[in-house]
Amino acid sequence: MRRLLVGFTAALLVSTTAACGSSDPSTSSKGGKAAVKVGVIPIVDVAPVYLGKEKGFYSKRGIDLTLVGAQGGAAIVPGVVSGQFQFGFSNVTSLMIAADKNVPVKAVANGVASTGKDGGDFAGIVVKGNSPLKTAKDLEGRKVAVNTLKNIGDTSVRESVRKAGGDPSKVGFVELPFDQMPAALDGGQVDAAWVVEPALATVKGKGGRVIASNFVDLAPDLTVALYFTSQQYAQKNPELVKKFQEATRESLAYADSHPDEVRKVLTTYTKIPESTLQAMTLPKWPAEPNRASLDTLGRLGERDGLLSGTPDLDALLP
């Protein structure tokens, strides 16, 4: 489960150029359905589209859906803009950074959200069971692992430190893949780690503790990620985009109300051990993005220097 919420830098610049002649309309597949490829990170968050495909939510709308696993947003965003994928999944900060760099992306559907429960979210800042660290304020002068520097991870961890009365500028961040964080904690390579499921369940299973729920500290019911396409593709294929939106909304709603089926479908595209699978806290999959939470995320991104100005959410969001 590497890089749930991956950012990107140089790849965005490449994709800006690629956008100039990309995103051809989908071709019809066998059976007359529109062939649509979606770039996804093979993680818990995208379970609804796997479930939706399995349930026929896309095919009944004439979409022949192919889910293509990618390492992270660094590959998915340029892949969407260049036409390799018609749609993609990415965390919101990465999409805000892309838009800030004039990369022509357009969100089309909600992706995943925090549970909004302090201590009961699918993401959190964790330490070893015998760690002296008790709160996010204690992270001052410590090394904290995040999966990607200058993205939603360090932005939200800083907010937890700030809310706990600490100075976030005194936190040292270390970039590590999520699946390597439990071992890094055990070995003392880092003092704390921002993890998501299933790494969160793995750490807790070894006696680790959650000292802050950084997504909850950032904003109530934070929208974490979205499905998106390129502006060019959206303009050329409005009906297909509408059908993808409808199918994805149905998939999100189904996943949110069928957690057992979510855990089952995860076994089809991940290698999460059964014991961890059952212990995981699932995220929420609301049908629509939480605009207020994204306003906060954008403001903090600007404050942290990730964005050159206030994001134009009216242009980015569906």
Side-chain angles (χ1 to χ4, degrees), residues 123-128 133 139 144 181 185 191-195 199-200 203-204 208-212:
I125 305 169
V126 293
V127 298
K128 289 198 296 187
L133 308 186
L139 296 175
V144 181
M181 290 182 187
L185 270 178
D191 301 298
W194 166 59
V195 293
L200 177 58
V203 171
K204 291 164 70 175
R209 293 182 285 110
V210 176
I211 63 168

Side-chain angles (χ1 to χ4, degrees), residues 224-266:
V224 177
L226 298 164
Y227 291 93
F228 69 101
T229 187
S230 69
Q231 292 177 2
Q232 185 181 27
Y233 187 83
Q235 290 167 0
K236 285 186 175 181
N237 302 277
E239 289 303 315
L240 185 54
V241 169
K242 183 180 178 183
K243 290 177 180 176
F244 180 83
Q245 289 174 317
E246 291 173 351
T248 302
R249 287 196 188 100
E250 186 173 7
S251 300
L252 294 169
Y254 190 88
D256 219 31
S257 58
H258 295 81
D260 290 345
E261 292 190 45
V262 168
R263 294 181 201 279
K264 184 178 179 182
V265 82
L266 282 169

Side-chain angles (χ1 to χ4, degrees), residues 147-206:
N147 76 315
T148 304
L149 296 173
K150 296 183 179 179
N151 210 277
I152 194 170
D154 45 9
T155 292
S156 53
V157 170
R158 286 191 185 94
E159 188 65 3
S160 286
V161 173
R162 195 176 289 120
K163 286 199 168 183
D167 181 352
S169 69
K170 295 180 179 178
V171 179
F173 290 100
V174 177
E175 190 174 75
L176 281 176
F178 284 123
D179 59 3
Q180 295 181 20
M181 290 182 187
L185 270 178
D186 285 343
Q189 185 179 346
V190 294
D191 301 298
W194 166 59
V195 293
V196 298
E197 297 290 11
L200 177 58
T202 299
V203 171
K204 291 164 70 175
K206 293 181 176 181

